[in-house]
Amino acid sequence: MGEPFCHSSQNLWHGQGVVERNDRLTANVQIDSTWKLAIRTVETLPAVRAGQFAMLRLPNRTDPLLGRPFALYRAESHYVEIVYLAVGKMTWRLAEVKPDETLELWMPLGNGFPDTKAQHTIIVAGGIGQTPFLTLCQTLSQHRQERVSLLYGARSANRIACMDDFRQLGVEPIIATDDGSEGYHGFVTDLIERVYQPGESTQLLCCGPMPMLRSAFLTAQKLGLPCFVSLETPMSCGLGICFGCVVPYREDKDGDWDYRRTCIDGPVFDAYKLRWE
């Protein structure tokens, strides 16, 4: 047997929180936009590991019926922030939520980023992929991590969000845009080799669209670097019950391919154990 069928109830909190703020961050984008949601709870929330997530549901509604997964951008004992992209039915309805309304959530879910003692942490984030990394940068700054490079890619300058939060932690983002409207003109993964310095222990941590993750992994493989990726796989339950978020996985390169559930075995995976073809 070994592993549990579904997510352990240990350290899992489920309840309602009151919306403190729900602010639009990228006001110039018409088709989709980035928002920051702040929720406060009466009950004390469990400790969160960087890379874990919450399932969030609009209470007293049946459309949409199921919750949606969101990275925990900032997490305190009675307060969480979630940065999300309003692009579908659930997220646009979430964008309509006003202060003092309630939301249902259960957290923290999944596995976060591993603890390492790398001298240099290279973070690669694309689109809304910056969301798991603020908590991580807070942790690294507390432990006096020697060097952190945040590489952030967006389609254009008007889609860039949250970078000032990282600057306040002393992490200066290096930005790439597809159209060249800000920073480097090209793919964010092009910047990895520019900040990498041979001779210092380095790890690569990534979150974003699958093509970006694949490109980042291939660069890590070329340089011989550890690489961990946070997947944005759609989920229905977040607890390992529905098996709707499985990804191909093998424990070692000579083993057979199997499947792992993103919600409880991830969302953070060792990139060398995933299938990228």
Side-chain angles (χ1 to χ4, degrees):
M1 297 292 289
E3 64 180 279
F5 175 74
C6 63
H7 198 288
S8 170
S9 60
Q10 185 177 5
N11 201 43
L12 178 64
W13 182 87
H14 174 237
Q16 291 193 345
V18 177
V19 175
E20 217 172 69
R21 297 188 313 280
N22 193 17
D23 301 325
R24 187 169 180 166
L25 303 181
T26 52
N28 293 329
V29 179
Q30 301 301 317
I31 298 175
D32 52 30
S33 58
T34 305
W35 295 69
K36 182 187 287 187
L37 172 70
I39 303 170
R40 191 165 294 280
T41 65
V42 174
E43 298 177 61
T44 302
L45 300 172
V48 170
R49 185 184 183 91
Q52 290 186 300
F53 67 97
M55 292 292 289
L56 193 150
R57 184 174 178 273
L58 304 173
N60 306 315
R61 300 191 191 186
T62 57
D63 185 23
L65 176 63
L66 301 175
R68 297 289 190 275
F70 296 92
L72 289 160
Y73 183 67
R74 195 190 305 267
E76 301 173 2
S77 59
H78 294 271
Y79 176 86
V80 294
E81 285 181 357
I82 289 170
V83 174
Y84 64 98
L85 188 67
V87 68
K89 178 188 289 186
M90 164 66 176
T91 47
W92 274 117
R93 291 192 175 177
L94 182 60
E96 296 171 352
V97 171
K98 306 298 182 187
D100 298 327
E101 293 188 46
T102 59
L103 293 171
E104 180 182 359
L105 65 158
W106 48 107
M107 60 166 281
L109 299 169
N111 294 310
F113 292 99
D115 291 327
T116 69
K117 296 182 179 179
Q119 295 172 308
H120 186 193
T121 295
I122 302 175
I123 296 170
V124 185
I128 198 70
Q130 78 277 36
T131 52
F133 292 119
L134 186 71
T135 300
L136 178 72
C137 288
Q138 288 174 322
T139 302
L140 294 177
S141 66
Q142 291 168 0
H143 294 166
R144 299 186 181 277
Q145 178 77 22
E146 186 168 327
R147 195 153 76 95
V148 177
S149 297
L150 171 60
L151 314 180
Y152 176 66
R155 293 183 187 176
S156 59
N158 64 354
R159 292 173 181 261
I160 296 170
C162 304
M163 293 299 101
D164 284 343
D165 292 338
F166 290 90
R167 292 186 179 102
Q168 289 175 6
L169 295 174
V171 178
E172 184 60 39
I174 303 173
I175 293 172
T177 51
D178 293 350
D179 62 1
S181 54
E182 184 167 337
Y184 172 73
H185 186 183
F187 297 129
V188 66
T189 50
D190 296 343
L191 301 173
I192 296 172
E193 293 191 64
R194 298 190 180 198
V195 300
Y196 169 66
Q197 291 186 3
E200 62 180 359
S201 60
T202 303
Q203 63 174 344
L204 199 61
L205 308 180
C206 315
C207 183
M210 284 301 290
M212 186 210 81
L213 297 182
R214 182 179 184 276
S215 177
F217 167 65
L218 292 176
T219 303
Q221 195 174 42
K222 172 186 172 183
L223 299 174
L225 303 179
C227 180
F228 294 88
V229 297
S230 179
L231 301 183
E232 298 177 334
T233 311
M235 301 176 193
S236 295
C237 71
L239 299 170
I241 299 171
C242 71
F243 284 75
C245 62
V246 295
V247 293
Y249 176 96
R250 63 182 176 188
E251 192 60 41
D252 58 75
K253 64 179 181 179
D254 298 320
D256 295 329
W257 286 104
D258 197 354
Y259 291 93
R260 291 292 185 270
R261 291 162 284 182
T262 303
C263 61
I264 63 171
D265 299 307
V268 178
F269 289 96
D270 182 338
Y272 287 86
K273 298 180 179 182
L274 298 175
R275 188 163 67 198
W276 297 101
E277 296 86 1

